[in-house]
């Protein structure tokens, strides 16, 4: 998947500045796509040049002028074409922590345990942000009510996947810490 597809998905929620998109990526799209602000701004320029998005300039008092981006008809057509492509390839996990854990038996066990604990802390914080977003999205409704009446269900479905992913990160991390601590006690 190209970054532009993730940007177009984020712009389905409406007009946004590059800064707003960077925040949206962190809050919603980040559970399945990561991009630095620099990558995002470069992609916005390319997409505008390709006619997939349009920008309008907004003058602000006491703040710099900002550009708000929105999908064009060509952008919406690109979204339709992208979603119609052959099935998505399975995710390939590239996770440096997993390489470190794999080396734990001969590496610095304390450092690996600390890295796992840090991952648990990070996943816990991210899960809390996702849960707050879920409460805002549901706005007092049950999931069934949300699905029956929401204009768009895709953002909520991807949020659920992100929540499940972070819960699994926490579950695995807690197991890994227990095992590594036992190993340290026996071999330490």
């Amino acid at each position: 998947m190209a970054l532009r597809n993730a940007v177009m998905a984020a712009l389905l929620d409406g007009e946004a500045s590059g800064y707003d998109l960077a925040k949206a990526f962190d809050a919603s799209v980040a559970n399945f796509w990561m991009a630095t602000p620099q990558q995002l701004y470069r992609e916005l320029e390319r997409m505008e040049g390709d006619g997939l998005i349009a920008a309008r300039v907004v003058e602000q008092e006491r703040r710099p002028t900002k550009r708000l981006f929105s999908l064009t008809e060509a952008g919406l057509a690109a979204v339709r074409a992208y979603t119609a492509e052959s099935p998505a390839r399975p995710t390939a996990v590239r996770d440096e922590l997993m390489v470190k854990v794999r080396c734990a038996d001969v590496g610095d066990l304390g450092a690996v345990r600390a890295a796992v604990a840090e991952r648990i802390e990070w996943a816990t914080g991210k899960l809390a942000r996702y849960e707050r977003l879920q409460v805002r999205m549901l706005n007092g409704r049950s999931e069934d009510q949300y699905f029956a009446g929401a204009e768009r269900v895709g953002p909520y479905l991807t949020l659920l996947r992100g929540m499940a992913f972070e819960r699994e990160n926490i579950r695995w991390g807690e197991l890994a810490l227990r095992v590594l601590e036992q190993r340290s006690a026996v071999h330490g």
Side-chain angles (χ1 to χ4, degrees):
M1 177 174 87
L3 174 57
R4 72 178 35 208
N5 295 324
V7 171
M8 288 188 294
L11 285 173
L12 288 171
D13 291 331
E15 187 177 59
S17 68
Y19 176 77
D20 293 334
L21 285 170
K23 283 182 11 188
F25 261 59
D26 188 46
S28 62
V29 182
N31 63 25
F32 56 89
W33 192 265
M34 299 292 282
T36 66
Q38 295 83 3
Q39 291 170 319
L40 190 57
Y41 283 106
R42 280 193 307 270
E43 189 60 35
L44 287 168
E45 291 299 321
R46 282 192 289 266
M47 292 173 69
E48 187 177 19
D50 292 342
L52 300 174
I53 60 173
R56 75 179 175 93
V57 176
V58 176
E59 299 287 334
Q60 302 182 102
E61 281 189 36
R62 291 178 279 195
R63 299 184 75 187
T65 299
K66 71 177 176 178
R67 296 175 68 205
L68 294 177
F69 298 94
S70 60
L71 286 170
T72 62
E73 285 302 318
L76 289 170
V79 169
R80 285 189 290 277
Y82 168 69
T83 58
E85 288 175 4
S86 61
R89 293 183 302 271
T91 302
V93 176
R94 292 178 56 183
D95 189 336
E96 186 177 358
L97 177 61
M98 294 304 109
V99 177
K100 289 182 178 192
V101 169
R102 183 158 171 90
C103 299
D105 297 304
V106 296
D108 183 334
L109 202 51
V112 173
R113 284 193 343 249
V116 171
E118 186 177 308
R119 177 66 58 90
I120 293 169
E121 184 178 327
W122 186 79
T124 301
K126 198 166 181 185
L127 179 59
R129 287 191 302 276
Y130 288 163
E131 287 170 341
R132 287 190 299 273
L133 180 57
Q134 180 184 35
V135 167
R136 283 196 307 271
M137 289 177 83
L138 290 176
N139 195 23
R141 297 173 285 187
S142 70
E143 281 187 347
D144 288 340
Q145 291 169 326
Y146 178 86
F147 288 134
E151 183 179 322
R152 296 182 55 231
V153 297
Y156 189 78
L157 291 171
T158 58
L159 175 66
L160 290 177
R161 179 65 182 110
M163 291 170 67
F165 181 74
E166 296 309 335
R167 285 186 184 114
E168 175 54 23
N169 279 333
I170 295 165
R171 188 205 63 76
W172 173 86
E174 290 169 347
L175 170 67
L177 274 185
R178 280 193 311 273
V179 170
L180 294 173
E181 286 169 5
Q182 291 169 355
R183 191 109 180 132
S184 180
V186 171
H187 298 292

